[in-house]
Amino acid sequence: MNISHLEYFIALVSNDFNITKTAQLNYISQPALSKIINSLEALYDVELFIRQNRRIVGLTALGYDVYSLSLQTLEAHHTLLNYLTSFSKKEELKIGVPPPLLPSYVSNIILELFNRHPQMQISIIEEGGVSLKQKLHSGEIDIAFIATTPNDTLNYIPIFDDEIVAYMEHTHILNHNQKNVVTLQEVNSQVLCTLGDTYLLSRIITKHFLSQKLTLNSKIKSSSLKFLIGYCLRFHAITLLPTSSFSNLPNKNQLAYKPLSPPLNLTIYMCYSKNNEVKIAPIKNSILQIKKEFAI
């Protein structure tokens, strides 16, 4: 048993023993949650839950005692982590962010982290999502904000939804047609500049085009947003970036963007190694609280 097991136990009780709802709210699969809950009883050969037709409907007398003690234990755990963090003057948190995502809501989250944890040294590592996932596995960074498909090797918490759109100069011909979207065929017919292959976003975009039996016809690739935007403005080109990046892009007053058809929707996840749970627990809780307060 570990602290996360107690958190799931408390969450299940708080959600009226609804496994599906508890799993969704805690970003865990329903089978995984059921396995954890069942293991709490099997580990000590006790009965914590009342079941009807194999469904959990309540707590036994022992279950109520364990629930009360779990609340006290969890509160003490959080108090201890916060106390230790307050004395840790040399603690460093390394956060990986792909450059295309840094101008988005991610920057607001990181700035608020600085505000709430002034004693902590926070380093921002700007690299492509492919490299950041490798650094998470090797322990070189603690957290990464990336658009990717969740798997079992890392923990993934959805932070916000985004969309890849076509950016262009205001005077671009595709910005003056009557349609509110641009097709992938139309994008491919124009001068196109895109992110480099070290970015997960680049792979997601390429896969999207392939799903429509199209090959992405990019004339030039770069990891610099400033270069991509500059290229678009100088050569009347198009680039494909997240819509959340718009507010902080250079020369945004000269830019317009349109959604793709078919659309390319993304979920941006906060990712961290399962072996790093204890270290980042206070920061994870802060980020989730910021997400809630800022309605991201």
Side-chain angles (χ1 to χ4, degrees):
M1 179 189 296
N2 57 43
I3 288 295
S4 64
H5 291 171
L6 296 183
E7 290 176 328
Y8 293 134
F9 173 65
I10 292 169
L12 181 62
V13 177
S14 301
N15 289 297
D16 297 321
F17 308 102
N18 187 319
I19 288 282
T20 301
K21 181 179 179 182
T22 303
Q24 291 174 344
L25 292 175
N26 288 272
Y27 314 110
I28 186 174
S29 69
Q30 186 173 327
L33 178 60
S34 296
K35 183 177 180 180
I36 290 171
I37 294 301
N38 290 333
S39 71
L40 293 177
E41 294 180 306
L43 183 62
Y44 299 102
D45 193 21
V46 296
E47 291 185 1
L48 302 177
F49 304 101
I50 298 172
R51 291 177 170 83
Q52 292 180 358
N53 298 323
R54 301 177 64 182
R55 290 184 65 252
I56 297 176
V57 295
L59 292 173
T60 63
L62 177 60
Y64 277 110
D65 289 340
V66 172
Y67 176 68
S68 178
L69 289 170
S70 296
L71 288 173
Q72 296 173 39
T73 301
L74 198 60
E75 182 178 359
H77 175 71
H78 288 160
T79 300
L80 176 61
L81 286 178
N82 291 332
Y83 182 74
L84 290 174
T85 300
S86 69
F87 282 90
S88 178
K89 303 300 182 182
K90 297 182 179 180
E91 186 172 1
E92 182 180 11
L93 182 76
K94 295 182 180 180
I95 302 177
V97 186
L101 293 183
L102 196 55
S104 68
Y105 303 119
V106 174
S107 62
N108 295 331
I109 291 174
I110 294 174
L111 289 173
E112 186 59 24
L113 277 179
F114 277 107
N115 182 48
R116 299 190 185 194
H117 299 270
Q119 79 288 343
M120 181 173 289
Q121 179 182 342
I122 300 178
S123 299
I124 310 300
I125 290 81
E126 296 184 60
E127 294 183 15
V130 176
S131 174
L132 292 178
K133 288 185 75 172
Q134 294 172 347
K135 290 185 183 309
L136 282 173
H137 286 296
S138 65
E140 296 176 67
I141 61 175
D142 301 299
I143 293 173
F145 291 92
I146 50 180
T148 186
T149 302
N151 57 51
D152 292 333
T153 60
L154 297 170
N155 282 332
Y156 295 81
I157 297 179
I159 298 299
F160 65 93
D161 293 324
D162 210 335
E163 181 181 6
I164 295 294
V165 295
Y167 284 86
M168 64 200 78
E169 191 176 15
H170 273 302
T171 58
H172 197 284
I173 186 172
L174 291 183
N175 190 45
H176 290 279
N177 60 27
Q178 300 300 313
K179 298 188 298 182
N180 294 322
V181 298
V182 291
T183 67
L184 303 190
Q185 291 86 350
E186 287 174 322
V187 169
N188 248 1
S189 70
Q190 303 295 312
V191 178
L192 181 62
C193 57
T194 59
L195 293 165
D197 294 333
T198 59
Y199 290 90
L200 286 172
L201 287 177
S202 176
R203 298 185 180 188
I204 291 170
I205 292 168
T206 298
K207 186 176 180 180
H208 189 59
F209 273 73
L210 288 174
S211 71
Q212 302 299 308
K213 299 181 179 180
L214 293 171
T215 300
L216 186 66
N217 186 25
S218 181
K219 184 175 181 63
I220 190 167
K221 296 183 179 182
S222 173
S223 61
S224 168
L225 294 187
K226 184 175 181 180
F227 177 85
L228 291 175
I229 296 304
Y231 190 90
C232 284
L233 295 178
R234 182 167 182 178
F235 296 103
H236 303 289
I238 287 178
T239 192
L240 303 173
L241 295 170
T243 185
S244 62
S245 301
F246 178 74
S247 61
N248 291 302
L249 287 176
N251 303 308
K252 67 176 183 179
N253 59 319
Q254 301 178 50
L255 294 172
Y257 66 82
K258 284 189 174 184
L260 301 176
S261 178
L264 178 48
N265 299 311
L266 303 170
T267 298
I268 308 304
Y269 293 91
M270 176 180 70
C271 309
Y272 59 93
S273 170
K274 293 181 178 180
N275 297 325
N276 211 17
E277 179 80 42
V278 174
K279 176 182 178 181
I280 72 155
I283 299 301
K284 180 187 75 172
N285 293 334
S286 289
I287 290 173
L288 292 178
Q289 188 62 34
I290 292 169
K291 177 179 182 289
K292 181 178 179 181
E293 292 176 6
F294 284 58
I296 293 175

